[in-house]
Amino acid sequence: MTQIAIVTYPGFTALDMIGPYEVLRNLHDTEVRFVWHQPGPITADSGVLVIGATHSLAETPSPDVVLVPGGPSTPVHARDEALLDWLRQAHRTARWTTSVCSGSVILAAAGLLVGRRATSHWLTVPALKAFGAVPVGDERIVRQDNVVTSAGVSAGLDLAFWLAGQIGGESRAKAIQLAIEYDPQPPFDSGHVSKASATTKAAATALLSRDSVKPATMKAATMLAWELAWEQALAAVRSRRRGAFGADRAFRDTTRPGEAS
């Protein structure tokens, strides 16, 4: 039995998790859990759609697959130490640790993307660098080791089909693809920032900002930025001190009493 844990936090973007769920639930011998601190109703970023968390994080310590969706409340949950600790523990035994959209920022905050190539929503790709990741903005799915990140929202479906192929085999994944008739042929071609006009990009940014300007989200984003800046400043100071100590020690090792000029 393959156990898949989809992290279901308040303010998630619906398609980030519902798209992958619809694919992954059709695999044989697979249990999909919606996990959060406690089971119960969780409201999406729209404030209207409600999904039930079926299990607590504590009840799901060692899933085979972890999937973290994105959403405008990402900065809030990227500072949730209980969630980050659970992700670190689950990652140790998981076959795949994955994310959709800005969910990769939460993985990054848990320290799981350090030195790894990773992607995210086009607005949050630059943020990954601050956590030590190698940002990738031109790939829909990025895999390094057993960590797989996907680009914004709809890319979660592509991630889910990739996972379906890994877990259930190519034939099963193709059958699921046909069952849900996943054959995207959009009437417009502005689905990547490299293809969109400046006007479209500005309109999309304004659209995305609606939920991001909520006080709790803005406060969390500000605190997260300050914490990262502080950690980087401390790291720089420690690095300089180590360098100075090393240089001083090297000087003392090469100059004996009576030899120094």
Side-chain angles (χ1 to χ4, degrees):
M1 174 72 73
T2 298
Q3 187 182 92
I4 300 173
I6 300 178
V7 177
T8 309
Y9 58 76
F12 68 89
T13 294
L15 187 57
D16 283 22
M17 70 163 60
I18 298 303
Y21 166 73
E22 189 60 31
V23 173
L24 299 172
R25 77 179 185 88
N26 283 295
L27 290 169
H28 289 307
D29 299 318
T30 297
E31 177 196 20
V32 180
R33 293 186 173 191
F34 294 99
V35 300
W36 191 230
H37 294 299
Q38 297 295 333
I42 307 292
T43 306
D45 56 4
S46 66
V48 177
L49 180 68
V50 177
I51 296 292
T54 59
H55 297 77
S56 69
L57 298 174
E59 291 173 322
T60 315
S62 304
D64 300 289
V65 178
V66 175
L67 189 149
V68 183
S73 61
T74 293
V76 175
H77 306 298
R79 301 181 68 245
D80 182 339
E81 285 300 328
L83 172 61
L84 301 183
D85 285 342
W86 179 84
L87 285 169
R88 296 182 192 109
Q89 294 293 328
H91 174 66
R92 291 178 181 177
T93 55
R95 181 180 177 189
W96 303 110
T97 298
T98 71
S99 66
V100 180
C101 197
S102 61
S104 57
V105 174
I106 297 176
L107 293 185
L112 303 183
L113 300 184
V114 176
R116 287 189 166 103
R117 299 173 72 251
T119 191
S120 190
H121 189 280
W122 57 271
L123 271 180
T124 51
V125 164
L128 297 178
K129 187 175 182 179
F131 293 95
V134 180
V136 178
D138 58 354
E139 296 179 30
R140 195 126 167 109
I141 300 174
V142 177
R143 172 193 169 192
Q144 185 162 348
D145 306 319
N146 67 330
V147 178
V148 191
T149 56
S150 63
V153 192
S154 63
L157 279 164
D158 295 349
L159 170 66
F161 278 112
W162 184 88
L163 284 171
Q166 297 296 311
I167 298 168
E170 183 177 326
S171 295
R172 184 65 179 181
K174 287 181 175 179
I176 297 170
Q177 182 179 14
L178 181 57
I180 69 170
E181 203 165 353
Y182 180 59
D183 184 28
Q185 299 174 31
F188 311 109
D189 190 24
S190 60
H192 188 270
V193 68
S194 64
K195 302 177 181 178
S197 67
T199 300
T200 298
K201 184 178 178 180
T205 302
L207 191 64
L208 292 164
S209 298
R210 291 182 309 175
D211 298 313
S212 300
V213 296
K214 292 178 180 177
T217 302
M218 292 187 69
K219 179 180 178 181
T222 302
M223 292 299 296
L224 189 62
W226 271 109
E227 288 167 2
L228 282 171
W230 178 247
E231 289 173 5
Q232 290 169 355
L234 285 177
V237 170
R238 293 185 186 117
S239 179
R240 286 196 295 270
R241 285 179 176 174
R242 285 194 298 268
F245 176 78
D248 180 64
R249 183 170 182 176
F251 175 77
R252 284 187 280 110
D253 288 345
T254 56
T255 58
R256 300 292 184 265
E259 296 178 359
S261 57

